[in-house]
Amino acid sequence: DLENCFGIDKLEHEFDFSNSRAIAIYAPNGVMKTSFAKTFEAVSEGKNPKEQLFGNISSCKILTDGLIIHKDDIIVIKSFENKITAENSVTTLLVDEESKKDYDVIYTDILKKKSSLISKLNKLSGEKQNDVENKVLNDFNYNDMDFFKFLSEINFDEIEYDLSEIKYKEIFEPDVLSFIKNPEVKKNINQYTEKYNKLLEDSKYFKKGVFNPTKAENVLKTLSKENFFKANHKIKLSGDDDEILDEEVFKMRLEEERKEILENAELVKIENEIKKVSVVRFREILEEANYIIPELENLEELKKRLWNSYLAKEREFIEELIKSYSEGKERLEEIEKLAFEQRTSWEDIIDKFKARFFVPFNVDIKNKSNVVLGKSAPNISFSFQNPKTGELIEMKKEKIDEIELLSQGERRAMYLLNVMFNIEARKKEDKKTLFIIDDIADSFDYKNKYAIIQYLKDISNEPLFFQIILTHNFDFFRSIQSRNICNYNNMYLSFKSTESIRLEPARGIKNPFINDWKINLNNSKKLIASISFVRNITASTEGEAHQDYNDLTSILHWKEDTETKLLSDLEIIFANHFNGINFNSPIQRDKKVVDIIFEEAENCLLADEGINLENKLVLSISIRLKAEQYMWSKITDKTAISGSQTGKLFGRFKNEFRGTLDDEIKILDEVNLITPENIHLNSFMFEPILDLSDMHLKSLYNRIKALN
């Protein structure tokens, strides 16, 4: 019960969905269609509809079974909106809850421990948490390696010595690196390193690359901490005759040897030159840990040694993490494989979209398993193939919009893909929904218009989905009924008076408009195209039981006697219904009509793209004949079929060969989808076929011909 709702002055009506879950309303432009949709859209957003022009008070009551409709139960689908699919809708369609639940139990624990490790490495290195993982892998030249795999391959026993007191960030920052790479500084570092290594080689206790002063200090700290000497243990150093029983003695001997090396006059002189650095913190590091100087000679190795030092410091934690990861890895991989391979609702929608809509792109999710497992948001990618080179180019929708790559019709088809995602997501959630569909097929070409109709048919079969379909296109309105989306009693025509809008039951929408080619029968294509015209006239004047009607049916459908129908038979039938008709075909009268049809279909393949109405009729008739010929040759049940032969024949074929001839079923489904309206010519205008691409019919003809 609507009053002053946008452009609707008054509309009160009760719709009955008990026998059909869809309602169709034909509304000429300016009567009510857009205002009706805007009213429901406002309600779905929790807003009150308005009367925008004169400011009249609005009243809006929408009841379902006596109760006020909930706003979340309404979805308004407009003819076109340039918006991206809601992320949660795609995720809903991709996620397999059982797999995700299993995965989360294992993965969350591992992720939590990994996050804790990253935090520890962040504090030790000074690098940002978000950068730690990539820096580690990059510095070890393992860019393509999984972080867990990297951690599991660490050999802690081979890590040489501890540099964990030095922060990575304080060494590898621009000013410090600039200083280190200065030629004079680099020369000093090289001299220092050479002298330092020579002293180590000559040392009594230390050994280059094996046991240096820093390692000695670490040993001393460890023995002291663990009360080694208090337990009466002893040490014997290589080169000494006596054994050390006391911590202080051990410390003294190491310091004497260390002093001899690190306080060497030449080393001190070079070290002082190196310390002439303007970066305060780096100068402090050199003061506190002059053992870092030899490491500066090879910065790439220093990166690894620093990370190794941090990792070694967290050895116990890492080993626990790797244990958790290893124990869960097999199950994780099993679930990830399942997530990648399993078919979800998303794939079904994409297949349905590609089978029915004709667009120059393909659609894919690049990170499907991650989305299935809830690890990341869906990354939708569109790919375009160069017809000449076969090269594939991928891009996101935002980029497609930015460069205005698609035509308006193709953009509308992409919008329909978004619509399908959102509808199927509600289906998966078992959400009761009233869809207000506002001229969804408006401005689409006919090949895509009928794909939309088929999808509306799918929606009408869902027990929780209800539709009110609005259109100003009478042919589309008629098709809604002919495809059994709406019960005939649920079809309405709208009328507008100065006071209100009323909806009255639609009557007479099946009356066809017939075009003819009877004055051009010397043109074989127009002759064939006229067969449908004459058949409809025969049905209207003589009835479908008339022999002429049956003979023409045997030409338009593959029957037992199809190959017996000659051009002479056709001439007699034409003369029966058109007095004085000039049947001036130059073809011999004893030629089979079906042979003429197939020959002209081959000629149609050579024609340029265009309106080519008679070509499209010839191709459509040929496609259906070849499709039926093929199905009859395959099926076991060859019982004769009366009425709607193609659909019933396809039903038999599909029931018998589903699972074994699925590719053929897809082609035949396309035949069933495209050809009926083309052949029967029972709309007021030739809209269903005028906009249908020659190329599409040619492609379908070649594919169906290849089956025979």
Side-chain angles (χ1 to χ4, degrees):
D1 186 359
L2 311 177
E3 191 168 353
N4 295 322
C5 294
F6 299 103
I8 296 174
D9 295 327
K10 176 71 178 173
L11 171 60
E12 184 175 356
H13 193 88
E14 182 175 296
F15 297 105
D16 184 359
F17 291 93
S18 60
N19 294 317
S20 173
R21 284 186 288 273
I23 304 288
I25 302 173
Y26 174 74
N29 282 327
V31 174
M32 63 160 281
K33 184 177 64 63
T34 302
S35 299
F36 191 87
K38 288 175 70 175
T39 297
F40 275 81
E41 184 176 36
V43 173
S44 73
E45 294 171 351
K47 301 175 182 176
N48 294 320
K50 299 176 181 178
E51 197 283 303
Q52 295 171 301
L53 187 58
F54 303 107
N56 295 323
I57 298 174
S58 297
S59 172
C60 173
K61 294 179 183 177
I62 303 174
L63 308 178
T64 60
D65 296 335
L67 302 175
I68 295 174
I69 194 168
H70 193 282
K71 68 182 185 67
D72 293 339
D73 292 344
I74 302 171
I75 294 291
V76 177
I77 299 174
K78 300 178 182 179
S79 59
F80 177 65
E81 282 185 305
N82 190 25
K83 64 181 183 181
I84 299 173
T85 305
E87 180 183 296
N88 61 334
S89 293
V90 178
T91 304
T92 298
L93 295 168
L94 280 168
V95 168
D96 169 62
E97 292 299 334
E98 186 174 344
S99 296
K100 184 177 183 298
K101 185 177 178 181
D102 287 349
Y103 195 91
D104 283 349
V105 172
I106 304 168
Y107 190 74
T108 302
D109 177 61
I110 295 172
L111 207 59
K112 185 177 178 182
K113 289 176 180 175
K114 176 187 172 184
S115 179
S116 180
L117 173 63
I118 295 294
S119 179
K120 293 173 185 292
L121 294 176
N122 151 252
K123 291 175 183 176
L124 288 166
S125 69
E127 288 292 334
K128 293 178 181 178
Q129 286 197 34
N130 292 339
D131 296 339
V132 167
E133 182 176 343
N134 287 336
K135 274 198 175 295
V136 171
L137 295 175
N138 184 62
D139 288 347
F140 282 91
N141 298 316
Y142 292 149
N143 305 65
D144 298 328
M145 184 180 284
D146 176 80
F147 192 58
F148 289 110
K149 187 174 188 299
F150 166 76
L151 294 176
S152 65
E153 292 183 359
I154 296 174
N155 187 339
F156 289 102
D157 295 329
E158 290 184 357
I159 294 177
E160 291 187 12
Y161 54 89
D162 186 14
L163 300 176
S164 63
E165 299 302 318
I166 298 172
K167 289 190 181 298
Y168 181 103
K169 184 73 173 176
E170 293 175 346
I171 300 292
F172 295 98
E173 64 106 0
D175 289 342
V176 173
L177 289 176
S178 178
F179 169 76
I180 294 172
K181 291 176 181 179
N182 180 292
E184 190 60 35
V185 174
K186 193 163 185 61
K187 178 182 176 184
N188 288 331
I189 291 173
N190 291 341
Q191 289 177 349
Y192 184 95
T193 304
E194 184 180 352
K195 182 65 178 175
Y196 178 79
N197 289 337
K198 181 67 173 63
L199 290 171
L200 284 181
E201 288 177 5
D202 297 338
S203 171
K204 185 178 181 181
Y205 300 140
F206 302 131
K207 189 174 182 181
K208 178 189 171 185
V210 179
F211 190 67
N212 58 27
T214 305
K215 285 192 174 183
E217 189 173 332
N218 289 338
V219 169
L220 179 61
K221 288 178 182 177
T222 302
L223 294 179
S224 176
K225 179 183 175 183
E226 303 300 336
N227 296 313
F228 180 84
F229 291 104
K230 289 181 180 179
N232 297 320
H233 295 304
K234 54 189 176 182
I235 283 179
K236 183 176 182 181
L237 295 174
S238 177
D240 288 349
D241 294 328
D242 60 334
E243 295 174 340
I244 302 172
L245 302 173
D246 181 79
E247 181 179 331
E248 288 302 318
V249 175
F250 182 43
K251 182 177 180 181
M252 180 188 68
R253 291 195 185 179
L254 287 179
E255 284 184 350
E256 286 175 357
E257 190 74 8
R258 185 174 181 274
K259 182 178 179 181
E260 184 178 335
I261 293 176
L262 298 180
E263 293 184 11
N264 178 277
E266 289 185 53
L267 278 186
V268 171
K269 180 182 177 182
I270 302 172
E271 185 179 319
N272 288 335
E273 286 296 318
I274 296 172
K275 289 179 182 177
K276 292 177 181 179
V277 56
S278 58
V279 184
V280 177
R281 179 55 194 146
F282 185 55
R283 189 165 63 242
E284 291 173 352
I285 292 173
L286 294 177
E287 292 286 351
E288 296 165 2
N290 58 355
Y291 57 82
I292 193 67
I293 296 175
E295 308 295 337
L296 299 175
E297 188 177 33
N298 189 332
L299 293 176
E300 293 306 311
E301 282 302 310
L302 177 57
K303 289 178 181 179
K304 296 177 184 178
R305 290 189 177 181
L306 285 171
W307 287 121
N308 274 331
S309 295
Y310 308 146
L311 294 166
K313 196 172 185 69
E314 300 300 333
R315 176 175 182 171
E316 186 176 334
F317 188 88
I318 291 171
E319 288 176 342
E320 182 184 346
L321 169 60
I322 293 305
K323 181 182 178 184
S324 298
Y325 175 72
S326 299
E327 290 174 349
K329 182 181 177 183
E330 185 176 343
R331 178 57 181 149
L332 285 176
E333 290 177 346
E334 180 184 324
I335 298 172
E336 286 183 352
K337 186 173 184 292
L338 174 66
F340 182 79
E341 293 179 349
Q342 74 179 168
R343 186 174 185 85
T344 65
S345 304
W346 196 88
E347 278 82 7
D348 291 335
I349 296 168
I350 292 296
D351 283 353
K352 189 180 293 185
F353 178 79
K354 289 192 291 189
R356 294 178 177 175
F357 294 94
F358 307 99
V359 290
F361 54 80
N362 198 5
V363 192
D364 197 9
I365 292 283
K366 305 307 292 182
N367 56 341
K368 177 177 176 280
S369 60
N370 282 354
V371 177
V372 171
L373 301 170
K375 291 161 63 178
S376 61
N379 177 12
I380 301 178
S381 171
F382 296 86
S383 60
F384 298 79
Q385 186 172 36
N386 187 320
K388 295 180 180 179
T389 65
E391 178 189 5
L392 278 177
I393 297 176
E394 293 184 353
M395 60 181 68
K396 292 187 177 180
K397 182 180 183 298
E398 295 87 341
K399 181 65 176 177
I400 296 173
D401 291 341
E402 179 185 324
I403 62 177
E404 298 183 351
L405 184 66
L406 301 180
S407 69
Q408 187 69 1
E410 291 162 351
R411 287 160 66 87
R412 288 176 181 273
M414 185 181 289
Y415 165 64
L416 285 177
L417 178 60
N418 295 339
V419 169
M420 291 172 71
F421 282 146
N422 295 329
I423 289 175
E424 297 295 332
R426 291 182 78 89
K427 183 195 297 186
K428 187 173 181 181
E429 294 169 350
D430 290 330
K431 215 166 179 59
K432 191 173 185 179
T433 306
L434 172 64
F435 294 99
I436 307 298
I437 299 174
D438 179 12
D439 248 334
I440 191 171
D442 190 34
S443 299
F444 276 94
D445 54 26
Y446 274 91
K447 63 182 180 291
N448 283 331
K449 189 188 82 168
Y450 284 104
I452 293 168
I453 290 172
Q454 189 62 40
Y455 189 61
L456 295 179
K457 174 67 174 175
D458 293 346
I459 296 174
S460 71
N461 292 328
E462 292 298 322
L464 294 178
F465 285 176
F466 303 85
Q467 302 175 76
I468 297 179
I469 304 168
L470 307 157
T471 182
H472 66 233
N473 184 303
F474 198 86
D475 178 66
F476 180 76
F477 180 64
R478 182 198 59 77
S479 298
I480 293 296
Q481 190 277 326
S482 67
R483 293 301 180 93
N484 297 316
I485 295 170
C486 279
N487 183 293
Y488 193 67
N489 294 324
N490 278 16
M491 308 288 290
Y492 293 93
L493 303 176
S494 62
F495 299 88
K496 184 177 183 179
S497 68
T498 55
E499 296 180 351
S500 66
I501 294 169
R502 71 184 189 278
L503 302 178
E504 294 186 359
R507 295 290 182 263
I509 66 171
K510 293 183 180 180
N511 293 337
F513 174 80
I514 302 174
N515 194 10
D516 80 65
W517 290 269
K518 64 178 182 177
I519 61 174
N520 296 301
L521 298 182
N522 59 325
N523 182 306
S524 296
K525 293 175 184 174
K526 293 183 178 181
L527 172 62
I528 295 166
S530 298
I531 295 173
S532 295
F533 166 72
V534 177
R535 181 171 177 266
N536 280 345
I537 289 294
T538 304
S540 299
T541 57
E542 306 292 343
E544 295 183 358
H546 195 275
Q547 186 59 44
D548 287 350
Y549 179 88
N550 291 328
D551 288 342
L552 292 173
T553 298
S554 292
I555 293 174
L556 296 176
H557 287 281
W558 195 271
K559 303 280 188 181
E560 287 185 354
D561 59 346
T562 294
E563 293 188 282
T564 69
K565 303 303 176 187
L566 307 177
L567 186 61
S568 57
D569 299 323
L570 199 59
E571 183 175 17
I572 293 170
I573 294 171
F574 273 49
N576 287 343
H577 300 281
F578 297 97
N579 290 330
I581 190 170
N582 184 12
F583 196 91
N584 53 359
S585 172
I587 303 173
Q588 294 294 320
R589 297 301 188 264
D590 60 352
K591 189 164 186 174
K592 295 178 182 179
V593 177
V594 70
D595 289 343
I596 300 171
I597 293 172
F598 289 151
E599 285 175 9
E600 289 305 319
E602 294 297 321
N603 291 332
C604 290
L605 297 177
L606 305 175
D608 293 336
E609 182 79 0
I611 293 178
N612 299 328
L613 183 56
E614 60 272 16
N615 286 21
K616 293 173 182 176
L617 264 294
V618 170
L619 284 172
S620 296
I621 292 169
S622 300
I623 287 167
R624 193 169 71 176
L625 280 171
K626 285 192 175 293
E628 292 189 3
Q629 182 186 23
Y630 171 73
M631 288 188 283
W632 278 119
S633 72
K634 291 289 184 182
I635 61 173
T636 305
D637 180 5
K638 298 186 184 297
T639 309
I641 297 173
S642 60
S644 302
Q645 173 166 301
T646 308
K648 294 176 181 177
L649 184 57
F650 178 60
R652 289 184 188 178
F653 186 90
K654 188 163 55 174
N655 289 337
E656 185 171 350
F657 298 106
R658 185 185 285 112
T660 58
L661 296 176
D662 288 341
D663 290 339
E664 288 82 351
I665 287 173
K666 287 180 181 178
I667 296 173
L668 294 169
D669 190 26
E670 191 174 347
V671 172
N672 205 32
L673 178 70
I674 294 293
T675 57
E677 279 70 21
N678 300 355
I679 296 172
H680 293 153
L681 308 181
N682 55 359
S683 60
F684 287 115
M685 296 180 67
F686 279 102
E687 292 171 322
I689 193 168
L690 282 174
D691 289 339
L692 187 61
S693 165
D694 278 9
M695 189 176 296
H696 179 69
L697 280 174
K698 290 174 184 177
S699 170
L700 183 56
Y701 175 78
N702 282 325
R703 281 182 284 148
I704 202 70
K705 183 174 68 172
L707 298 182
N708 286 277

